[in-house]
Amino acid sequence: AVEVSEPTTILVSNLPRSYNRSMLVELLSAQGVLMDCDLIYLPVEFKVGIGYGYSFVNFVSHEAASAALKALDGLTGISEAEGALQANWSAKQGLETHIELYRNSPVMHKTVDDTDKAALLKHGERLPFPEPTRRLRAPRARRAILHQTEGEEDDTQA
């Protein structure tokens, strides 16, 4: 891992599970912090195509990350959110750390929808992600518990 002297990566949690990367980009833009953001990753449960309710966002400087943390932590009024967003420093820090973490990750496999991949940005514009340094495995879908699958009867109504 690359040593980072001051943190630049925040973990934004309590996002609506329906959120996708585009919605996160809009949120960051609305809060005035998108232009200083250089990496976004919003993990998705591939089997059902919904987010886990959190994301990692890296910024170009500690000052920019601090401003974003202040803008996002406690933010309310996010569609479908249960309460306020939470923003904290991420355990893993820095752009290079996250590039190395994701470039060889199954999340960057060609079978993964582009909107579910980690994205690099510069001044709000998407940049190509560095190529993997080894062959990528396709992601395994995590087992999801679905309350009702297609074709099942809802036996709660009698």
Side-chain angles (χ1 to χ4, degrees):
V2 178
E3 277 296 313
V4 177
S5 58
E6 294 183 295
T8 58
T9 307
I10 63 173
L11 169 66
V12 181
S13 54
N14 208 28
L15 288 166
R17 293 203 48 175
S18 62
Y19 246 50
N20 60 33
R21 192 179 66 215
S22 296
M23 296 163 95
L24 180 60
V25 165
E26 288 175 21
L27 173 69
L28 295 171
S29 180
Q31 294 304 311
V33 298
L34 179 65
M35 291 300 142
D36 290 325
C37 170
D38 56 13
L39 181 134
I40 296 175
Y41 177 53
L42 191 145
V44 171
E45 194 172 332
F46 296 116
K47 197 168 193 170
V48 292
I50 58 172
Y52 284 105
Y54 65 91
S55 67
F56 297 97
V57 185
N58 193 72
F59 292 87
V60 296
S61 68
H62 176 70
E63 293 72 26
S66 295
L69 196 136
K70 187 179 277 188
L72 295 169
D73 191 43
L75 186 65
T76 58
I78 307 303
S79 67
E80 302 170 41
E82 297 282 327
L85 292 184
Q86 295 176 340
N88 296 291
W89 295 114
S90 173
K92 292 186 179 357
Q93 285 294 325
L95 180 62
E96 290 303 317
T97 298
H98 283 88
I99 287 173
E100 290 309 309
L101 186 65
Y102 301 127
R103 76 187 311 174
N104 292 314
S105 167
V107 77
M108 300 304 278
H109 191 267
K110 64 185 177 194
T111 60
V112 173
D113 190 40
D114 182 65
T115 60
D116 297 336
K117 295 179 178 184
L120 285 179
L121 302 170
K122 184 170 187 171
H123 306 297
E125 297 296 318
R126 182 89 182 267
L127 295 175
F129 210 87
E131 291 294 317
T133 57
R134 58 185 167 80
R135 188 176 172 157
L136 299 182
R137 292 186 341 261
R140 293 186 308 238
R142 292 186 186 175
R143 180 168 287 173
I145 299 171
L146 299 176
H147 296 292
Q148 190 173 342
T149 57
E150 200 170 350
E152 279 185 353
E153 291 293 323
D154 183 357
D155 60 2
T156 59
Q157 298 174 351

PDB file of all heavy atoms in Angstrom, residues 12-24 41-56 80 107 115-117 142 144 146:
ATOM      1  N   VAL A  12     -18.559   7.315   2.192  1.00  0.00           N
ATOM      2  CA  VAL A  12     -19.885   7.914   2.327  1.00  0.00           C
ATOM      3  C   VAL A  12     -20.862   6.766   2.518  1.00  0.00           C
ATOM      4  O   VAL A  12     -20.969   5.886   1.656  1.00  0.00           O
ATOM      5  CB  VAL A  12     -20.265   8.740   1.077  1.00  0.00           C
ATOM      6  CG1 VAL A  12     -21.641   9.371   1.260  1.00  0.00           C
ATOM      7  CG2 VAL A  12     -19.221   9.807   0.789  1.00  0.00           C
ATOM      8  N   SER A  13     -21.545   6.752   3.652  1.00  0.00           N
ATOM      9  CA  SER A  13     -22.480   5.670   3.918  1.00  0.00           C
ATOM     10  C   SER A  13     -23.882   6.203   4.178  1.00  0.00           C
ATOM     11  O   SER A  13     -24.096   7.407   4.283  1.00  0.00           O
ATOM     12  CB  SER A  13     -21.993   4.805   5.084  1.00  0.00           C
ATOM     13  OG  SER A  13     -21.733   5.592   6.213  1.00  0.00           O
ATOM     14  N   ASN A  14     -24.807   5.273   4.269  1.00  0.00           N
ATOM     15  CA  ASN A  14     -26.233   5.538   4.400  1.00  0.00           C
ATOM     16  C   ASN A  14     -26.816   6.135   3.116  1.00  0.00           C
ATOM     17  O   ASN A  14     -27.786   6.884   3.150  1.00  0.00           O
ATOM     18  CB  ASN A  14     -26.560   6.412   5.615  1.00  0.00           C
ATOM     19  CG  ASN A  14     -27.962   6.127   6.139  1.00  0.00           C
ATOM     20  OD1 ASN A  14     -28.464   5.018   5.989  1.00  0.00           O
ATOM     21  ND2 ASN A  14     -28.591   7.121   6.730  1.00  0.00           N
ATOM     22  N   LEU A  15     -26.207   5.768   1.978  1.00  0.00           N
ATOM     23  CA  LEU A  15     -26.784   6.131   0.678  1.00  0.00           C
ATOM     24  C   LEU A  15     -27.974   5.216   0.411  1.00  0.00           C
ATOM     25  O   LEU A  15     -27.974   4.062   0.843  1.00  0.00           O
ATOM     26  CB  LEU A  15     -25.748   5.924  -0.440  1.00  0.00           C
ATOM     27  CG  LEU A  15     -24.595   6.909  -0.513  1.00  0.00           C
ATOM     28  CD1 LEU A  15     -23.505   6.375  -1.432  1.00  0.00           C
ATOM     29  CD2 LEU A  15     -25.088   8.262  -0.995  1.00  0.00           C
ATOM     30  N   PRO A  16     -28.966   5.697  -0.328  1.00  0.00           N
ATOM     31  CA  PRO A  16     -30.052   4.787  -0.714  1.00  0.00           C
ATOM     32  C   PRO A  16     -29.482   3.620  -1.528  1.00  0.00           C
ATOM     33  O   PRO A  16     -28.582   3.815  -2.344  1.00  0.00           O
ATOM     34  CB  PRO A  16     -30.949   5.664  -1.593  1.00  0.00           C
ATOM     35  CG  PRO A  16     -30.612   7.072  -1.221  1.00  0.00           C
ATOM     36  CD  PRO A  16     -29.172   7.045  -0.816  1.00  0.00           C
ATOM     37  N   ARG A  17     -29.995   2.422  -1.303  1.00  0.00           N
ATOM     38  CA  ARG A  17     -29.480   1.246  -2.023  1.00  0.00           C
ATOM     39  C   ARG A  17     -29.761   1.345  -3.515  1.00  0.00           C
ATOM     40  O   ARG A  17     -29.114   0.697  -4.325  1.00  0.00           O
ATOM     41  CB  ARG A  17     -30.048  -0.032  -1.426  1.00  0.00           C
ATOM     42  CG  ARG A  17     -29.489  -0.200  -0.005  1.00  0.00           C
ATOM     43  CD  ARG A  17     -29.498  -1.551   0.508  1.00  0.00           C
ATOM     44  NE  ARG A  17     -28.950  -2.504  -0.441  1.00  0.00           N
ATOM     45  CZ  ARG A  17     -28.767  -3.763  -0.195  1.00  0.00           C
ATOM     46  NH1 ARG A  17     -29.064  -4.241   0.969  1.00  0.00           N
ATOM     47  NH2 ARG A  17     -28.289  -4.576  -1.089  1.00  0.00           N
ATOM     48  N   SER A  18     -30.735   2.160  -3.902  1.00  0.00           N
ATOM     49  CA  SER A  18     -31.051   2.353  -5.322  1.00  0.00           C
ATOM     50  C   SER A  18     -30.037   3.264  -6.007  1.00  0.00           C
ATOM     51  O   SER A  18     -30.045   3.393  -7.226  1.00  0.00           O
ATOM     52  CB  SER A  18     -32.453   2.952  -5.458  1.00  0.00           C
ATOM     53  OG  SER A  18     -32.490   4.233  -4.830  1.00  0.00           O
ATOM     54  N   TYR A  19     -29.161   3.892  -5.234  1.00  0.00           N
ATOM     55  CA  TYR A  19     -28.180   4.810  -5.798  1.00  0.00           C
ATOM     56  C   TYR A  19     -27.214   4.088  -6.721  1.00  0.00           C
ATOM     57  O   TYR A  19     -26.788   2.971  -6.450  1.00  0.00           O
ATOM     58  CB  TYR A  19     -27.379   5.479  -4.676  1.00  0.00           C
ATOM     59  CG  TYR A  19     -27.606   6.967  -4.570  1.00  0.00           C
ATOM     60  CD1 TYR A  19     -28.881   7.496  -4.539  1.00  0.00           C
ATOM     61  CD2 TYR A  19     -26.543   7.847  -4.490  1.00  0.00           C
ATOM     62  CE1 TYR A  19     -29.091   8.862  -4.437  1.00  0.00           C
ATOM     63  CE2 TYR A  19     -26.734   9.211  -4.383  1.00  0.00           C
ATOM     64  CZ  TYR A  19     -28.015   9.709  -4.363  1.00  0.00           C
ATOM     65  OH  TYR A  19     -28.215  11.055  -4.270  1.00  0.00           O
ATOM     66  N   ASN A  20     -26.852   4.776  -7.821  1.00  0.00           N
ATOM     67  CA  ASN A  20     -25.808   4.275  -8.714  1.00  0.00           C
ATOM     68  C   ASN A  20     -24.726   5.353  -8.823  1.00  0.00           C
ATOM     69  O   ASN A  20     -24.850   6.426  -8.225  1.00  0.00           O
ATOM     70  CB  ASN A  20     -26.383   3.880 -10.081  1.00  0.00           C
ATOM     71  CG  ASN A  20     -27.040   5.052 -10.793  1.00  0.00           C
ATOM     72  OD1 ASN A  20     -26.626   6.202 -10.669  1.00  0.00           O
ATOM     73  ND2 ASN A  20     -28.090   4.767 -11.538  1.00  0.00           N
ATOM     74  N   ARG A  21     -23.693   5.052  -9.580  1.00  0.00           N
ATOM     75  CA  ARG A  21     -22.567   5.983  -9.665  1.00  0.00           C
ATOM     76  C   ARG A  21     -22.993   7.335 -10.246  1.00  0.00           C
ATOM     77  O   ARG A  21     -22.549   8.384  -9.770  1.00  0.00           O
ATOM     78  CB  ARG A  21     -21.430   5.380 -10.495  1.00  0.00           C
ATOM     79  CG  ARG A  21     -20.150   6.181 -10.365  1.00  0.00           C
ATOM     80  CD  ARG A  21     -19.015   5.591 -11.162  1.00  0.00           C
ATOM     81  NE  ARG A  21     -19.310   5.684 -12.572  1.00  0.00           N
ATOM     82  CZ  ARG A  21     -18.972   4.778 -13.480  1.00  0.00           C
ATOM     83  NH1 ARG A  21     -18.310   3.708 -13.135  1.00  0.00           N
ATOM     84  NH2 ARG A  21     -19.281   4.940 -14.742  1.00  0.00           N
ATOM     85  N   SER A  22     -23.855   7.335 -11.248  1.00  0.00           N
ATOM     86  CA  SER A  22     -24.305   8.599 -11.850  1.00  0.00           C
ATOM     87  C   SER A  22     -25.021   9.475 -10.829  1.00  0.00           C
ATOM     88  O   SER A  22     -24.833  10.698 -10.807  1.00  0.00           O
ATOM     89  CB  SER A  22     -25.248   8.329 -13.026  1.00  0.00           C
ATOM     90  OG  SER A  22     -24.569   7.649 -14.043  1.00  0.00           O
ATOM     91  N   MET A  23     -25.834   8.849  -9.985  1.00  0.00           N
ATOM     92  CA  MET A  23     -26.548   9.601  -8.956  1.00  0.00           C
ATOM     93  C   MET A  23     -25.560  10.166  -7.930  1.00  0.00           C
ATOM     94  O   MET A  23     -25.725  11.285  -7.452  1.00  0.00           O
ATOM     95  CB  MET A  23     -27.580   8.702  -8.278  1.00  0.00           C
ATOM     96  CG  MET A  23     -28.672   8.251  -9.235  1.00  0.00           C
ATOM     97  SD  MET A  23     -29.581   6.839  -8.582  1.00  0.00           S
ATOM     98  CE  MET A  23     -30.946   7.671  -7.819  1.00  0.00           C
ATOM     99  N   LEU A  24     -24.531   9.395  -7.621  1.00  0.00           N
ATOM    100  CA  LEU A  24     -23.503   9.872  -6.697  1.00  0.00           C
ATOM    101  C   LEU A  24     -22.756  11.053  -7.299  1.00  0.00           C
ATOM    102  O   LEU A  24     -22.490  12.043  -6.606  1.00  0.00           O
ATOM    103  CB  LEU A  24     -22.538   8.741  -6.340  1.00  0.00           C
ATOM    104  CG  LEU A  24     -21.414   9.101  -5.379  1.00  0.00           C
ATOM    105  CD1 LEU A  24     -21.944   9.583  -4.032  1.00  0.00           C
ATOM    106  CD2 LEU A  24     -20.483   7.908  -5.189  1.00  0.00           C
ATOM    107  N   TYR A  41     -16.052   4.990  -6.308  1.00  0.00           N
ATOM    108  CA  TYR A  41     -16.465   3.594  -6.416  1.00  0.00           C
ATOM    109  C   TYR A  41     -17.654   3.357  -5.492  1.00  0.00           C
ATOM    110  O   TYR A  41     -17.588   3.637  -4.299  1.00  0.00           O
ATOM    111  CB  TYR A  41     -15.331   2.634  -6.060  1.00  0.00           C
ATOM    112  CG  TYR A  41     -15.774   1.189  -6.110  1.00  0.00           C
ATOM    113  CD1 TYR A  41     -16.392   0.659  -7.247  1.00  0.00           C
ATOM    114  CD2 TYR A  41     -15.609   0.359  -5.020  1.00  0.00           C
ATOM    115  CE1 TYR A  41     -16.818  -0.652  -7.289  1.00  0.00           C
ATOM    116  CE2 TYR A  41     -16.031  -0.966  -5.060  1.00  0.00           C
ATOM    117  CZ  TYR A  41     -16.642  -1.461  -6.192  1.00  0.00           C
ATOM    118  OH  TYR A  41     -17.072  -2.763  -6.238  1.00  0.00           O
ATOM    119  N   LEU A  42     -18.738   2.879  -6.079  1.00  0.00           N
ATOM    120  CA  LEU A  42     -19.953   2.560  -5.347  1.00  0.00           C
ATOM    121  C   LEU A  42     -20.208   1.061  -5.529  1.00  0.00           C
ATOM    122  O   LEU A  42     -20.647   0.641  -6.599  1.00  0.00           O
ATOM    123  CB  LEU A  42     -21.114   3.397  -5.900  1.00  0.00           C
ATOM    124  CG  LEU A  42     -22.404   3.383  -5.095  1.00  0.00           C
ATOM    125  CD1 LEU A  42     -23.071   4.743  -5.158  1.00  0.00           C
ATOM    126  CD2 LEU A  42     -23.353   2.329  -5.586  1.00  0.00           C
ATOM    127  N   PRO A  43     -19.873   0.251  -4.530  1.00  0.00           N
ATOM    128  CA  PRO A  43     -20.039  -1.206  -4.663  1.00  0.00           C
ATOM    129  C   PRO A  43     -21.498  -1.603  -4.901  1.00  0.00           C
ATOM    130  O   PRO A  43     -22.411  -1.024  -4.315  1.00  0.00           O
ATOM    131  CB  PRO A  43     -19.553  -1.747  -3.313  1.00  0.00           C
ATOM    132  CG  PRO A  43     -18.701  -0.668  -2.749  1.00  0.00           C
ATOM    133  CD  PRO A  43     -19.283   0.624  -3.247  1.00  0.00           C
ATOM    134  N   VAL A  44     -21.665  -2.595  -5.778  1.00  0.00           N
ATOM    135  CA  VAL A  44     -23.000  -3.055  -6.171  1.00  0.00           C
ATOM    136  C   VAL A  44     -23.112  -4.560  -5.963  1.00  0.00           C
ATOM    137  O   VAL A  44     -22.165  -5.304  -6.221  1.00  0.00           O
ATOM    138  CB  VAL A  44     -23.255  -2.704  -7.656  1.00  0.00           C
ATOM    139  CG1 VAL A  44     -24.517  -3.345  -8.184  1.00  0.00           C
ATOM    140  CG2 VAL A  44     -23.303  -1.200  -7.837  1.00  0.00           C
ATOM    141  N   GLU A  45     -24.261  -4.981  -5.515  1.00  0.00           N
ATOM    142  CA  GLU A  45     -24.579  -6.404  -5.394  1.00  0.00           C
ATOM    143  C   GLU A  45     -25.008  -6.860  -6.790  1.00  0.00           C
ATOM    144  O   GLU A  45     -26.118  -6.591  -7.236  1.00  0.00           O
ATOM    145  CB  GLU A  45     -25.722  -6.561  -4.386  1.00  0.00           C
ATOM    146  CG  GLU A  45     -25.940  -7.940  -3.918  1.00  0.00           C
ATOM    147  CD  GLU A  45     -26.949  -7.986  -2.773  1.00  0.00           C
ATOM    148  OE1 GLU A  45     -27.082  -7.009  -2.023  1.00  0.00           O
ATOM    149  OE2 GLU A  45     -27.603  -9.023  -2.669  1.00  0.00           O
ATOM    150  N   PHE A  46     -24.086  -7.527  -7.496  1.00  0.00           N
ATOM    151  CA  PHE A  46     -24.286  -7.825  -8.916  1.00  0.00           C
ATOM    152  C   PHE A  46     -25.530  -8.654  -9.197  1.00  0.00           C
ATOM    153  O   PHE A  46     -26.209  -8.441 -10.188  1.00  0.00           O
ATOM    154  CB  PHE A  46     -23.062  -8.543  -9.495  1.00  0.00           C
ATOM    155  CG  PHE A  46     -21.837  -7.697  -9.474  1.00  0.00           C
ATOM    156  CD1 PHE A  46     -20.746  -8.056  -8.698  1.00  0.00           C
ATOM    157  CD2 PHE A  46     -21.765  -6.535 -10.203  1.00  0.00           C
ATOM    158  CE1 PHE A  46     -19.613  -7.272  -8.664  1.00  0.00           C
ATOM    159  CE2 PHE A  46     -20.637  -5.736 -10.172  1.00  0.00           C
ATOM    160  CZ  PHE A  46     -19.562  -6.108  -9.407  1.00  0.00           C
ATOM    161  N   LYS A  47     -25.837  -9.592  -8.337  1.00  0.00           N
ATOM    162  CA  LYS A  47     -26.949 -10.508  -8.589  1.00  0.00           C
ATOM    163  C   LYS A  47     -28.283  -9.778  -8.710  1.00  0.00           C
ATOM    164  O   LYS A  47     -29.138 -10.158  -9.487  1.00  0.00           O
ATOM    165  CB  LYS A  47     -27.005 -11.556  -7.482  1.00  0.00           C
ATOM    166  CG  LYS A  47     -27.827 -12.773  -7.816  1.00  0.00           C
ATOM    167  CD  LYS A  47     -27.572 -13.860  -6.793  1.00  0.00           C
ATOM    168  CE  LYS A  47     -28.133 -15.180  -7.281  1.00  0.00           C
ATOM    169  NZ  LYS A  47     -27.694 -16.274  -6.441  1.00  0.00           N
ATOM    170  N   VAL A  48     -28.445  -8.720  -7.930  1.00  0.00           N
ATOM    171  CA  VAL A  48     -29.709  -7.983  -7.950  1.00  0.00           C
ATOM    172  C   VAL A  48     -29.558  -6.548  -8.452  1.00  0.00           C
ATOM    173  O   VAL A  48     -30.541  -5.843  -8.600  1.00  0.00           O
ATOM    174  CB  VAL A  48     -30.398  -8.002  -6.563  1.00  0.00           C
ATOM    175  CG1 VAL A  48     -30.874  -9.394  -6.227  1.00  0.00           C
ATOM    176  CG2 VAL A  48     -29.478  -7.484  -5.488  1.00  0.00           C
ATOM    177  N   GLY A  49     -28.318  -6.134  -8.713  1.00  0.00           N
ATOM    178  CA  GLY A  49     -28.086  -4.832  -9.325  1.00  0.00           C
ATOM    179  C   GLY A  49     -28.372  -3.631  -8.447  1.00  0.00           C
ATOM    180  O   GLY A  49     -28.745  -2.575  -8.956  1.00  0.00           O
ATOM    181  N   ILE A  50     -28.217  -3.772  -7.130  1.00  0.00           N
ATOM    182  CA  ILE A  50     -28.423  -2.629  -6.256  1.00  0.00           C
ATOM    183  C   ILE A  50     -27.171  -2.383  -5.429  1.00  0.00           C
ATOM    184  O   ILE A  50     -26.384  -3.284  -5.181  1.00  0.00           O
ATOM    185  CB  ILE A  50     -29.651  -2.790  -5.330  1.00  0.00           C
ATOM    186  CG1 ILE A  50     -29.526  -4.047  -4.473  1.00  0.00           C
ATOM    187  CG2 ILE A  50     -30.940  -2.782  -6.130  1.00  0.00           C
ATOM    188  CD1 ILE A  50     -30.613  -4.160  -3.417  1.00  0.00           C
ATOM    189  N   GLY A  51     -27.013  -1.150  -5.008  1.00  0.00           N
ATOM    190  CA  GLY A  51     -25.851  -0.773  -4.229  1.00  0.00           C
ATOM    191  C   GLY A  51     -25.936  -1.275  -2.803  1.00  0.00           C
ATOM    192  O   GLY A  51     -27.002  -1.631  -2.301  1.00  0.00           O
ATOM    193  N   TYR A  52     -24.788  -1.279  -2.148  1.00  0.00           N
ATOM    194  CA  TYR A  52     -24.717  -1.671  -0.740  1.00  0.00           C
ATOM    195  C   TYR A  52     -24.982  -0.504   0.202  1.00  0.00           C
ATOM    196  O   TYR A  52     -24.976  -0.659   1.408  1.00  0.00           O
ATOM    197  CB  TYR A  52     -23.350  -2.284  -0.429  1.00  0.00           C
ATOM    198  CG  TYR A  52     -23.204  -3.688  -0.956  1.00  0.00           C
ATOM    199  CD1 TYR A  52     -22.437  -3.940  -2.081  1.00  0.00           C
ATOM    200  CD2 TYR A  52     -23.839  -4.757  -0.335  1.00  0.00           C
ATOM    201  CE1 TYR A  52     -22.295  -5.228  -2.567  1.00  0.00           C
ATOM    202  CE2 TYR A  52     -23.710  -6.046  -0.821  1.00  0.00           C
ATOM    203  CZ  TYR A  52     -22.933  -6.276  -1.928  1.00  0.00           C
ATOM    204  OH  TYR A  52     -22.809  -7.555  -2.408  1.00  0.00           O
ATOM    205  N   GLY A  53     -25.160   0.691  -0.339  1.00  0.00           N
ATOM    206  CA  GLY A  53     -25.478   1.841   0.499  1.00  0.00           C
ATOM    207  C   GLY A  53     -24.270   2.647   0.956  1.00  0.00           C
ATOM    208  O   GLY A  53     -24.374   3.469   1.851  1.00  0.00           O
ATOM    209  N   TYR A  54     -23.118   2.406   0.320  1.00  0.00           N
ATOM    210  CA  TYR A  54     -21.933   3.194   0.658  1.00  0.00           C
ATOM    211  C   TYR A  54     -21.066   3.360  -0.578  1.00  0.00           C
ATOM    212  O   TYR A  54     -21.239   2.663  -1.577  1.00  0.00           O
ATOM    213  CB  TYR A  54     -21.131   2.565   1.800  1.00  0.00           C
ATOM    214  CG  TYR A  54     -20.517   1.223   1.485  1.00  0.00           C
ATOM    215  CD1 TYR A  54     -19.225   1.128   0.970  1.00  0.00           C
ATOM    216  CD2 TYR A  54     -21.228   0.049   1.689  1.00  0.00           C
ATOM    217  CE1 TYR A  54     -18.662  -0.104   0.678  1.00  0.00           C
ATOM    218  CE2 TYR A  54     -20.670  -1.191   1.403  1.00  0.00           C
ATOM    219  CZ  TYR A  54     -19.389  -1.252   0.896  1.00  0.00           C
ATOM    220  OH  TYR A  54     -18.833  -2.470   0.597  1.00  0.00           O
ATOM    221  N   SER A  55     -20.125   4.295  -0.505  1.00  0.00           N
ATOM    222  CA  SER A  55     -19.201   4.508  -1.614  1.00  0.00           C
ATOM    223  C   SER A  55     -17.882   5.048  -1.078  1.00  0.00           C
ATOM    224  O   SER A  55     -17.815   5.574   0.031  1.00  0.00           O
ATOM    225  CB  SER A  55     -19.780   5.501  -2.618  1.00  0.00           C
ATOM    226  OG  SER A  55     -19.863   6.790  -2.026  1.00  0.00           O
ATOM    227  N   PHE A  56     -16.856   4.889  -1.900  1.00  0.00           N
ATOM    228  CA  PHE A  56     -15.540   5.448  -1.612  1.00  0.00           C
ATOM    229  C   PHE A  56     -15.300   6.568  -2.607  1.00  0.00           C
ATOM    230  O   PHE A  56     -15.509   6.395  -3.809  1.00  0.00           O
ATOM    231  CB  PHE A  56     -14.445   4.385  -1.757  1.00  0.00           C
ATOM    232  CG  PHE A  56     -14.612   3.260  -0.783  1.00  0.00           C
ATOM    233  CD1 PHE A  56     -15.244   2.083  -1.168  1.00  0.00           C
ATOM    234  CD2 PHE A  56     -14.168   3.387   0.523  1.00  0.00           C
ATOM    235  CE1 PHE A  56     -15.422   1.052  -0.270  1.00  0.00           C
ATOM    236  CE2 PHE A  56     -14.346   2.349   1.428  1.00  0.00           C
ATOM    237  CZ  PHE A  56     -14.973   1.174   1.030  1.00  0.00           C
ATOM    238  N   GLU A  80     -35.027   8.552  -0.714  1.00  0.00           N
ATOM    239  CA  GLU A  80     -35.126   7.212  -0.129  1.00  0.00           C
ATOM    240  C   GLU A  80     -34.137   6.936   0.997  1.00  0.00           C
ATOM    241  O   GLU A  80     -34.096   5.835   1.518  1.00  0.00           O
ATOM    242  CB  GLU A  80     -34.950   6.122  -1.189  1.00  0.00           C
ATOM    243  CG  GLU A  80     -35.930   6.190  -2.331  1.00  0.00           C
ATOM    244  CD  GLU A  80     -35.543   5.234  -3.434  1.00  0.00           C
ATOM    245  OE1 GLU A  80     -35.119   4.104  -3.141  1.00  0.00           O
ATOM    246  OE2 GLU A  80     -35.664   5.623  -4.595  1.00  0.00           O
ATOM    247  N   VAL A 107     -14.295  -6.504 -10.129  1.00  0.00           N
ATOM    248  CA  VAL A 107     -15.265  -5.450 -10.422  1.00  0.00           C
ATOM    249  C   VAL A 107     -14.938  -4.730 -11.735  1.00  0.00           C
ATOM    250  O   VAL A 107     -15.811  -4.129 -12.347  1.00  0.00           O
ATOM    251  CB  VAL A 107     -15.378  -4.457  -9.242  1.00  0.00           C
ATOM    252  CG1 VAL A 107     -14.207  -3.498  -9.209  1.00  0.00           C
ATOM    253  CG2 VAL A 107     -16.682  -3.705  -9.299  1.00  0.00           C
ATOM    254  N   THR A 115     -21.230   1.159 -15.393  1.00  0.00           N
ATOM    255  CA  THR A 115     -21.724   2.002 -14.298  1.00  0.00           C
ATOM    256  C   THR A 115     -21.435   1.404 -12.925  1.00  0.00           C
ATOM    257  O   THR A 115     -21.561   2.089 -11.924  1.00  0.00           O
ATOM    258  CB  THR A 115     -23.239   2.259 -14.427  1.00  0.00           C
ATOM    259  OG1 THR A 115     -23.917   0.999 -14.394  1.00  0.00           O
ATOM    260  CG2 THR A 115     -23.574   2.987 -15.705  1.00  0.00           C
ATOM    261  N   ASP A 116     -21.040   0.134 -12.877  1.00  0.00           N
ATOM    262  CA  ASP A 116     -20.738  -0.527 -11.603  1.00  0.00           C
ATOM    263  C   ASP A 116     -19.242  -0.593 -11.309  1.00  0.00           C
ATOM    264  O   ASP A 116     -18.825  -1.156 -10.304  1.00  0.00           O
ATOM    265  CB  ASP A 116     -21.312  -1.944 -11.592  1.00  0.00           C
ATOM    266  CG  ASP A 116     -22.823  -1.947 -11.702  1.00  0.00           C
ATOM    267  OD1 ASP A 116     -23.464  -0.935 -11.345  1.00  0.00           O
ATOM    268  OD2 ASP A 116     -23.386  -2.960 -12.152  1.00  0.00           O
ATOM    269  N   LYS A 117     -18.432  -0.024 -12.189  1.00  0.00           N
ATOM    270  CA  LYS A 117     -16.982  -0.058 -12.019  1.00  0.00           C
ATOM    271  C   LYS A 117     -16.484   1.185 -11.291  1.00  0.00           C
ATOM    272  O   LYS A 117     -17.160   2.210 -11.261  1.00  0.00           O
ATOM    273  CB  LYS A 117     -16.292  -0.136 -13.388  1.00  0.00           C
ATOM    274  CG  LYS A 117     -16.585  -1.423 -14.127  1.00  0.00           C
ATOM    275  CD  LYS A 117     -15.900  -1.450 -15.466  1.00  0.00           C
ATOM    276  CE  LYS A 117     -16.175  -2.787 -16.153  1.00  0.00           C
ATOM    277  NZ  LYS A 117     -15.450  -2.898 -17.410  1.00  0.00           N
ATOM    278  N   ARG A 142     -22.599 -12.262  -5.060  1.00  0.00           N
ATOM    279  CA  ARG A 142     -22.830 -12.624  -3.672  1.00  0.00           C
ATOM    280  C   ARG A 142     -24.254 -13.126  -3.553  1.00  0.00           C
ATOM    281  O   ARG A 142     -25.148 -12.648  -4.225  1.00  0.00           O
ATOM    282  CB  ARG A 142     -22.642 -11.414  -2.759  1.00  0.00           C
ATOM    283  CG  ARG A 142     -21.208 -10.954  -2.706  1.00  0.00           C
ATOM    284  CD  ARG A 142     -21.077  -9.864  -1.687  1.00  0.00           C
ATOM    285  NE  ARG A 142     -19.728  -9.313  -1.710  1.00  0.00           N
ATOM    286  CZ  ARG A 142     -19.355  -8.288  -0.991  1.00  0.00           C
ATOM    287  NH1 ARG A 142     -20.205  -7.691  -0.199  1.00  0.00           N
ATOM    288  NH2 ARG A 142     -18.117  -7.846  -1.067  1.00  0.00           N
ATOM    289  N   ALA A 144     -27.758 -13.295  -2.620  1.00  0.00           N
ATOM    290  CA  ALA A 144     -28.704 -12.289  -2.157  1.00  0.00           C
ATOM    291  C   ALA A 144     -29.976 -12.981  -1.686  1.00  0.00           C
ATOM    292  O   ALA A 144     -30.409 -13.971  -2.267  1.00  0.00           O
ATOM    293  CB  ALA A 144     -29.043 -11.330  -3.297  1.00  0.00           C
ATOM    294  N   LEU A 146     -33.712 -12.752  -1.565  1.00  0.00           N
ATOM    295  CA  LEU A 146     -34.825 -12.043  -2.176  1.00  0.00           C
ATOM    296  C   LEU A 146     -36.105 -12.471  -1.470  1.00  0.00           C
ATOM    297  O   LEU A 146     -36.345 -13.655  -1.252  1.00  0.00           O
ATOM    298  CB  LEU A 146     -34.912 -12.366  -3.672  1.00  0.00           C
ATOM    299  CG  LEU A 146     -33.682 -11.961  -4.470  1.00  0.00           C
ATOM    300  CD1 LEU A 146     -33.818 -12.414  -5.908  1.00  0.00           C
ATOM    301  CD2 LEU A 146     -33.487 -10.471  -4.416  1.00  0.00           C
TER     302      LEU A 146
END
